[in-house]
Short mmCIF file of all heavy atoms in Angstrom, two decimals:
data_model
loop_
_atom_site.label_atom_id
_atom_site.label_comp_id
_atom_site.label_asym_id
_atom_site.label_seq_id
_atom_site.Cartn_x
_atom_site.Cartn_y
_atom_site.Cartn_z
N TYR U 331 85.57 97.93 91.91
CA TYR U 331 86.24 99.20 91.88
C TYR U 331 87.74 99.08 92.02
O TYR U 331 88.51 99.85 91.59
CB TYR U 331 85.67 100.03 93.14
CG TYR U 331 86.19 101.40 93.29
CD1 TYR U 331 86.15 102.40 92.20
CD2 TYR U 331 86.92 101.71 94.44
CE1 TYR U 331 86.59 103.59 92.41
CE2 TYR U 331 87.50 103.11 94.51
CZ TYR U 331 87.31 103.95 93.59
OH TYR U 331 87.87 105.20 93.67
N HIS U 332 88.21 97.88 92.53
CA HIS U 332 89.55 97.64 92.75
C HIS U 332 90.15 96.73 91.61
O HIS U 332 91.30 96.81 91.21
CB HIS U 332 89.82 96.90 94.04
CG HIS U 332 89.41 97.65 95.26
ND1 HIS U 332 90.21 98.53 95.92
CD2 HIS U 332 88.21 97.78 95.81
CE1 HIS U 332 89.50 99.17 96.90
NE2 HIS U 332 88.26 98.71 96.84
N PHE U 333 89.35 95.80 91.15
CA PHE U 333 89.80 94.81 90.15
C PHE U 333 88.66 94.57 89.16
O PHE U 333 87.51 94.53 89.55
CB PHE U 333 90.18 93.46 90.76
CG PHE U 333 91.10 93.56 91.81
CD1 PHE U 333 90.75 93.55 93.18
CD2 PHE U 333 92.50 93.53 91.56
CE1 PHE U 333 91.72 93.68 94.22
CE2 PHE U 333 93.45 93.68 92.58
CZ PHE U 333 93.09 93.68 93.92
N ASP U 334 88.92 94.40 87.83
CA ASP U 334 87.91 94.29 86.79
C ASP U 334 87.48 92.81 86.73
O ASP U 334 86.37 92.58 86.15
CB ASP U 334 88.37 94.68 85.52
CG ASP U 334 89.57 93.99 84.95
OD1 ASP U 334 90.00 92.93 85.44
OD2 ASP U 334 90.18 94.39 83.98
N SER U 335 88.09 91.90 87.22
CA SER U 335 87.74 90.47 87.22
C SER U 335 88.43 89.60 88.17
O SER U 335 89.49 90.00 88.74
CB SER U 335 87.95 89.96 85.80
OG SER U 335 89.26 89.85 85.47
N LYS U 336 88.02 88.42 88.41
CA LYS U 336 88.70 87.42 89.23
C LYS U 336 90.00 86.98 88.52
O LYS U 336 91.04 86.68 89.19
CB LYS U 336 87.91 86.24 89.64
CG LYS U 336 87.45 85.33 88.61
CD LYS U 336 86.82 84.07 89.27
CE LYS U 336 86.55 83.00 88.22
NZ LYS U 336 86.04 81.79 88.84
N GLU U 337 89.95 87.03 87.29
CA GLU U 337 91.10 86.66 86.35
C GLU U 337 92.29 87.72 86.67
O GLU U 337 93.48 87.29 86.86
CB GLU U 337 90.81 86.66 84.90
CG GLU U 337 91.97 86.32 84.02
CD GLU U 337 91.62 86.28 82.58
OE1 GLU U 337 91.26 87.44 82.06
OE2 GLU U 337 91.59 85.25 81.92
N SER U 338 91.97 88.97 86.82
CA SER U 338 92.87 89.93 87.11
C SER U 338 93.52 89.64 88.53
O SER U 338 94.67 89.95 88.73
CB SER U 338 92.36 91.37 87.11
OG SER U 338 91.97 91.73 85.85
N MET U 339 92.63 89.26 89.43
CA MET U 339 93.07 89.03 90.74
C MET U 339 94.14 87.87 90.81
O MET U 339 95.22 87.99 91.37
CB MET U 339 91.97 88.82 91.71
CG MET U 339 91.15 90.02 92.10
SD MET U 339 89.84 89.73 93.33
CE MET U 339 88.48 89.41 92.21
N ILE U 340 93.80 86.78 90.28
CA ILE U 340 94.66 85.62 90.29
C ILE U 340 95.86 85.88 89.50
O ILE U 340 97.04 85.43 89.88
CB ILE U 340 93.95 84.37 89.78
CG1 ILE U 340 94.63 83.12 90.36
CG2 ILE U 340 93.82 84.30 88.26
CD1 ILE U 340 93.91 81.77 90.22
N ASP U 341 95.79 86.73 88.44
CA ASP U 341 97.00 87.12 87.70
C ASP U 341 97.96 87.87 88.52
O ASP U 341 99.20 87.59 88.59
CB ASP U 341 96.59 87.95 86.48
CG ASP U 341 97.71 88.32 85.50
OD1 ASP U 341 98.88 87.78 85.72
OD2 ASP U 341 97.44 89.13 84.61
N GLU U 342 97.39 88.85 89.23
CA GLU U 342 98.31 89.68 90.09
C GLU U 342 98.90 88.77 91.24
O GLU U 342 100.08 89.06 91.68
CB GLU U 342 97.58 90.88 90.63
CG GLU U 342 98.51 91.89 91.34
CD GLU U 342 97.81 93.23 91.55
OE1 GLU U 342 96.83 93.52 90.81
OE2 GLU U 342 98.32 93.87 92.33
N ILE U 343 98.15 87.95 91.82
CA ILE U 343 98.57 87.01 92.92
C ILE U 343 99.79 86.24 92.43
O ILE U 343 100.78 86.16 93.04
CB ILE U 343 97.46 86.15 93.45
CG1 ILE U 343 96.45 86.95 94.17
CG2 ILE U 343 97.93 85.03 94.35
CD1 ILE U 343 95.10 86.24 94.44
N LEU U 344 99.60 85.53 91.30
CA LEU U 344 100.66 84.65 90.81
C LEU U 344 101.86 85.39 90.22
O LEU U 344 102.98 85.00 90.55
CB LEU U 344 100.10 83.78 89.67
CG LEU U 344 99.11 82.61 90.09
CD1 LEU U 344 98.43 82.07 88.88
CD2 LEU U 344 99.75 81.63 91.00
N SER U 345 101.72 86.49 89.53
CA SER U 345 102.79 87.28 89.05
C SER U 345 103.62 87.84 90.18
O SER U 345 104.88 87.99 90.09
CB SER U 345 102.31 88.35 87.99
OG SER U 345 101.49 89.28 88.64
N THR U 346 102.95 88.37 91.19
CA THR U 346 103.65 88.93 92.32
C THR U 346 104.49 87.87 93.05
O THR U 346 105.66 88.13 93.35
CB THR U 346 102.67 89.48 93.38
OG1 THR U 346 101.95 90.60 92.71
CG2 THR U 346 103.36 90.09 94.57
N PHE U 347 103.89 86.64 93.17
CA PHE U 347 104.72 85.66 93.88
C PHE U 347 105.91 85.24 92.96
O PHE U 347 107.04 85.10 93.52
CB PHE U 347 103.73 84.36 94.01
CG PHE U 347 104.38 83.09 94.13
CD1 PHE U 347 105.45 82.72 94.98
CD2 PHE U 347 104.12 82.04 93.15
CE1 PHE U 347 106.04 81.50 95.08
CE2 PHE U 347 104.70 80.88 93.19
CZ PHE U 347 105.69 80.58 94.18
N LEU U 348 105.71 85.05 91.62
CA LEU U 348 106.80 84.55 90.81
C LEU U 348 107.83 85.66 90.66
O LEU U 348 109.11 85.34 90.62
CB LEU U 348 106.24 84.17 89.49
CG LEU U 348 105.41 82.82 89.43
CD1 LEU U 348 104.84 82.63 88.12
CD2 LEU U 348 106.39 81.77 89.86
N ASP U 349 107.47 86.91 90.57
CA ASP U 349 108.50 88.05 90.52
C ASP U 349 109.31 87.93 91.69
O ASP U 349 110.60 88.04 91.71
CB ASP U 349 107.77 89.34 90.46
CG ASP U 349 107.22 89.65 89.07
OD1 ASP U 349 107.52 88.86 88.20
OD2 ASP U 349 106.42 90.51 88.94
N GLU U 350 108.79 87.74 92.90
CA GLU U 350 109.56 87.71 94.13
C GLU U 350 110.43 86.38 94.25
O GLU U 350 111.57 86.50 94.59
CB GLU U 350 108.73 87.75 95.42
CG GLU U 350 109.44 87.96 96.68
CD GLU U 350 108.59 88.27 97.89
OE1 GLU U 350 107.80 89.18 97.79
OE2 GLU U 350 108.77 87.51 98.93
N LEU U 351 109.80 85.35 93.86
CA LEU U 351 110.61 84.11 93.77
C LEU U 351 111.84 84.26 92.93
O LEU U 351 112.90 83.77 93.33
CB LEU U 351 109.71 82.99 93.18
CG LEU U 351 110.44 81.64 93.03
CD1 LEU U 351 110.73 80.91 94.39
CD2 LEU U 351 109.57 80.69 92.25
N TRP U 352 111.71 84.81 91.76
CA TRP U 352 112.84 84.92 90.88
C TRP U 352 113.88 85.98 91.26
O TRP U 352 114.99 85.85 91.01
CB TRP U 352 112.31 85.24 89.34
CG TRP U 352 111.92 83.79 88.86
CD1 TRP U 352 110.64 83.35 88.60
CD2 TRP U 352 112.78 82.71 88.50
NE1 TRP U 352 110.72 82.12 88.11
CE2 TRP U 352 111.99 81.73 88.05
CE3 TRP U 352 114.07 82.46 88.55
CZ2 TRP U 352 112.54 80.36 87.65
CZ3 TRP U 352 114.75 81.25 88.22
CH2 TRP U 352 113.85 80.22 87.73
N ARG U 353 113.44 87.02 91.99
CA ARG U 353 114.42 87.83 92.47
C ARG U 353 115.31 87.12 93.48
O ARG U 353 116.57 87.39 93.45
CB ARG U 353 113.83 88.99 93.27
CG ARG U 353 113.21 90.10 92.35
CD ARG U 353 112.97 91.48 93.10
NE ARG U 353 111.93 91.24 94.11
CZ ARG U 353 110.63 91.42 93.85
NH1 ARG U 353 110.20 91.75 92.60
NH2 ARG U 353 109.72 91.29 94.72
N GLY U 354 114.76 86.21 94.37
CA GLY U 354 115.52 85.41 95.25
C GLY U 354 116.40 84.36 94.52
O GLY U 354 117.59 84.22 94.73
N TYR U 355 115.75 83.70 93.53
CA TYR U 355 116.50 82.67 92.86
C TYR U 355 117.60 83.24 92.03
O TYR U 355 118.70 82.69 91.95
CB TYR U 355 115.51 81.89 91.87
CG TYR U 355 114.82 80.67 92.51
CD1 TYR U 355 114.72 80.56 93.88
CD2 TYR U 355 114.35 79.67 91.69
CE1 TYR U 355 114.01 79.42 94.38
CE2 TYR U 355 113.69 78.60 92.21
CZ TYR U 355 113.58 78.43 93.55
OH TYR U 355 112.90 77.30 94.14
N ASP U 356 117.41 84.40 91.37
CA ASP U 356 118.42 84.94 90.53
C ASP U 356 119.60 85.36 91.25
O ASP U 356 120.76 85.28 90.85
CB ASP U 356 117.87 86.09 89.77
CG ASP U 356 117.02 85.64 88.59
OD1 ASP U 356 117.09 84.51 88.18
OD2 ASP U 356 116.15 86.56 88.08
N ALA U 357 119.34 85.90 92.52
CA ALA U 357 120.37 86.26 93.38
C ALA U 357 121.31 85.11 93.78
O ALA U 357 122.47 85.13 93.83
CB ALA U 357 119.89 87.00 94.70
N VAL U 358 120.65 83.94 94.09
CA VAL U 358 121.39 82.75 94.32
C VAL U 358 122.14 82.23 93.18
O VAL U 358 123.38 81.92 93.30
CB VAL U 358 120.43 81.60 94.79
CG1 VAL U 358 121.17 80.27 94.82
CG2 VAL U 358 119.77 81.93 96.16
N LEU U 359 121.48 82.18 92.04
CA LEU U 359 122.16 81.72 90.85
C LEU U 359 123.38 82.55 90.28
O LEU U 359 124.24 82.07 89.61
CB LEU U 359 121.18 81.48 89.67
CG LEU U 359 120.04 80.45 89.91
CD1 LEU U 359 119.04 80.57 88.94
CD2 LEU U 359 120.63 79.07 90.05
N GLU U 360 123.29 83.81 90.65
CA GLU U 360 124.37 84.76 90.24
C GLU U 360 125.45 85.00 91.25
O GLU U 360 126.45 85.67 91.04
CB GLU U 360 123.74 86.18 89.90
CG GLU U 360 122.79 86.14 88.77
CD GLU U 360 121.99 87.40 88.65
OE1 GLU U 360 122.21 88.31 89.48
OE2 GLU U 360 121.03 87.38 87.85
N ALA U 361 125.33 84.19 92.40
CA ALA U 361 126.31 84.41 93.44
C ALA U 361 127.63 83.63 93.29
O ALA U 361 128.49 83.76 94.17
CB ALA U 361 125.65 83.99 94.88
N GLY U 362 127.70 82.73 92.37
CA GLY U 362 128.90 81.98 92.13
C GLY U 362 129.06 80.98 93.11
O GLY U 362 130.27 80.58 93.40
N LEU U 363 128.00 80.33 93.67
CA LEU U 363 128.17 79.24 94.72
C LEU U 363 128.53 77.87 94.07
O LEU U 363 128.19 77.68 92.92
CB LEU U 363 126.88 79.22 95.57
CG LEU U 363 126.45 80.40 96.32
CD1 LEU U 363 125.06 80.18 96.86
CD2 LEU U 363 127.46 80.88 97.37
N GLY U 364 129.01 77.00 94.85
CA GLY U 364 129.19 75.67 94.31
C GLY U 364 127.86 74.96 94.21
O GLY U 364 126.80 75.45 94.70
N PRO U 365 127.76 73.77 93.60
CA PRO U 365 126.55 73.10 93.34
C PRO U 365 125.73 72.84 94.59
O PRO U 365 124.49 73.08 94.66
CB PRO U 365 126.88 71.85 92.65
CG PRO U 365 128.18 72.21 91.99
CD PRO U 365 128.97 73.09 92.91
N ARG U 366 126.42 72.24 95.56
CA ARG U 366 125.72 71.92 96.85
C ARG U 366 125.18 73.15 97.56
O ARG U 366 124.12 73.15 97.96
CB ARG U 366 126.67 71.16 97.75
CG ARG U 366 125.92 70.79 99.04
CD ARG U 366 126.73 70.01 100.07
NE ARG U 366 126.05 69.75 101.35
CZ ARG U 366 125.79 68.63 101.83
NH1 ARG U 366 126.16 67.53 101.24
NH2 ARG U 366 125.27 68.46 103.09
N GLU U 367 126.00 74.15 97.55
CA GLU U 367 125.65 75.40 98.20
C GLU U 367 124.40 76.13 97.45
O GLU U 367 123.57 76.66 97.98
CB GLU U 367 126.77 76.36 98.32
CG GLU U 367 127.92 75.99 99.25
CD GLU U 367 128.65 74.77 98.76
OE1 GLU U 367 128.82 74.71 97.53
OE2 GLU U 367 129.35 74.18 99.59
N THR U 368 124.44 76.01 96.11
CA THR U 368 123.32 76.49 95.37
C THR U 368 122.04 75.82 95.57
O THR U 368 121.00 76.45 95.85
CB THR U 368 123.63 76.38 93.86
OG1 THR U 368 124.91 77.15 93.59
CG2 THR U 368 122.52 76.88 92.98
N ILE U 369 122.13 74.42 95.70
CA ILE U 369 120.94 73.73 96.15
C ILE U 369 120.37 74.08 97.38
O ILE U 369 119.24 74.31 97.63
CB ILE U 369 121.10 72.15 96.09
CG1 ILE U 369 121.42 71.69 94.65
CG2 ILE U 369 120.09 71.37 96.68
CD1 ILE U 369 120.20 71.74 93.70
#
Side-chain angles (χ1 to χ4, degrees):
Y331 183 58
H332 301 269
F333 304 96
D334 61 12
S335 65
K336 71 173 186 176
E337 184 181 64
S338 292
M339 285 184 271
I340 202 168
D341 185 4
E342 190 163 338
I343 290 164
L344 290 174
S345 62
T346 298
F347 156 60
L348 289 173
D349 285 347
E350 186 170 313
L351 175 71
W352 280 108
R353 281 196 297 273
Y355 270 23
D356 286 341
V358 170
L359 296 169
E360 294 166 6
L363 302 173
R366 179 177 176 125
E367 291 75 21
T368 298
I369 291 292

